Amino acid sequence: MPASRLDPKAIPRHVAIIMDGNGRWAEERGMSRIEGHRQGLESVRAVVRAAHELGVQTLTLYAFSLENWNRPKREVDELMSLLEFYIDAELPEVQRNGIRVTSIGRLERLPISTRAKLEEAEAATRDNREMQLVFAVSYGGRAEIVDAARKLLRDAEVGKVDPEQLDEKSFAAYLYQPELSDPDLLIRTSGERRVSNFLLWQIAYTEIFVSDVRWPDFRKTHLVDAIVDYQARERRFGLTSEQVRS
Ligand code: IPE
Ligand code: IPE
Ligand code: MG
């Protein structure tokens, strides 16, 4: 029983995942990249369920980056319809499990139908408190910081903020979803050791775990592996080990 390796009292509150490797998974099997994305949806299903079972409070999934808009149109279209399909297929279970769905990113760039589905999921699950599932779609970390700066400058112009009073906390209030806690654990699948413009502001002190497993093969047992690894670490936040332990 893999979950028994875990300390149930030290489950990361917020887990963020860069779901990578769908294309390679498919290519390795002589399939089209799109087949990889379809299979990847099974992993989303499994991991949302697993995170809920393990007691994770927030799960943020990087589903589509701003840079991903530059992929072939056919692939982009398929990814958008898969997201819509996921919401249609999973909303009943998500609802039963008390999961609240939200999204972050430049959502105005999404096709109307995709945006409508995300809004539908958000409205339907607004009062759920068991877990929060955040989709980062059309998302870029630098863009989020720029968008925050733009809103802040507008408020400064009309005298709503005083530049001299600005600090990290008041700046963060302009991010897409300021009430989200910073991720405790960031998982990237499929071996690449980079953050690819994900949650740049929020991962300042996040623990990073890179799994070699391709996203379409990623299941609860791999999530448990990541959390077990996380639980063996000492988060020092700039302090000495001695300070942290006392
Ligand atoms: C992740 O898999 C899905 C998205 C980025 C939308 P990829 O499509 O990036 O798969 P690889 O990295 O090419 O294997
Ligand atoms: C990051 O994966 C984006 C998502 C998982 C949605 P990419 O495959 O786009 O990242 P790079 O290009 O390898 O950095
Ligand atoms: Mg990739």
Side-chain angles (χ1 to χ4, degrees):
M1 189 54 201
S4 62
R5 297 182 281 136
L6 284 177
D7 173 358
K9 292 189 298 297
I11 298 295
R13 249 161 49 100
H14 183 170
V15 176
I17 307 183
I18 302 175
M19 309 184 287
D20 197 22
N22 294 352
R24 277 163 284 172
W25 183 92
E27 281 153 23
E28 284 156 7
R29 287 162 179 76
M31 298 166 153
S32 72
R33 297 178 54 84
I34 285 170
E35 283 304 319
H37 297 314
R38 288 199 185 129
Q39 202 54 43
L41 209 58
E42 285 305 314
S43 308
V44 175
R45 233 187 282 274
V47 166
V48 169
R49 194 173 293 162
H52 173 249
E53 286 166 4
L54 294 169
V56 170
Q57 287 175 23
T58 306
L59 176 68
T60 299
L61 299 179
Y62 200 7
F64 192 84
S65 72
L66 278 177
E67 289 75 21
N68 290 150
W69 285 116
N70 299 319
R71 290 193 180 191
K73 184 177 183 308
R74 210 178 133 230
E75 183 169 342
V76 170
D77 291 347
E78 178 68 18
L79 284 164
M80 293 301 144
S81 42
L82 279 176
L83 186 57
E84 294 176 31
F85 176 80
Y86 172 84
I87 291 169
D88 276 337
E90 293 304 297
L91 197 55
E93 179 178 329
V94 159
Q95 196 66 286
R96 261 198 317 281
N97 287 332
I99 299 172
R100 179 175 165 215
V101 181
T102 59
S103 22
I104 52 172
R106 288 198 171 154
L107 307 177
E108 67 281 0
R109 274 186 78 174
L110 294 172
I112 289 171
S113 56
T114 309
R115 207 173 154 181
K117 279 285 167 227
L118 288 169
E119 284 168 1
E120 178 191 323
E122 183 156 349
T125 62
R126 192 179 303 278
D127 298 325
N128 292 347
R129 289 293 176 270
E130 273 281 303
M131 184 177 96
Q132 184 168 358
L133 171 61
V134 184
F135 284 107
V137 268
S138 186
Y139 177 87
R142 285 185 172 178
E144 177 173 25
I145 295 168
V146 169
D147 290 349
R150 184 182 299 107
K151 284 184 266 174
L152 176 75
L153 288 169
R154 286 204 189 108
D155 279 356
E157 236 166 37
V158 297
K160 271 208 265 175
V161 289
D162 172 4
E164 294 310 317
Q165 300 295 317
L166 186 66
D167 57 14
E168 291 178 12
K169 192 163 176 276
S170 51
F171 183 86
Y174 286 88
L175 296 171
Y176 292 138
Q177 230 180 278
E179 63 284 5
L180 279 183
S181 62
D182 291 341
D184 299 293
L185 172 62
L186 169 66
I187 300 170
R188 180 164 187 147
T189 62
S190 207
E192 235 70 76
R193 296 168 186 217
R194 54 177 173 257
V195 292
S196 301
N197 205 9
F198 191 36
L199 301 177
L200 297 182
W201 174 277
Q202 296 89 339
I203 61 173
Y205 268 102
T206 298
E207 296 295 327
I208 299 177
F209 182 86
V210 176
S211 164
D212 285 329
V213 175
R214 308 259 185 253
W215 178 251
D217 289 328
F218 199 87
R219 289 295 179 272
K220 183 176 186 175
T221 176
H222 306 111
L223 177 63
V224 170
D225 288 343
I227 297 178
V228 167
D229 193 89
Y230 165 87
Q231 290 184 336
R233 301 181 191 188
E234 179 179 69
R235 300 184 75 185
R236 287 192 286 276
F237 299 97
L239 304 182
T240 66
S241 191
E242 196 182 18
Q243 286 176 301
V244 173
R245 285 173 197 185
S246 67

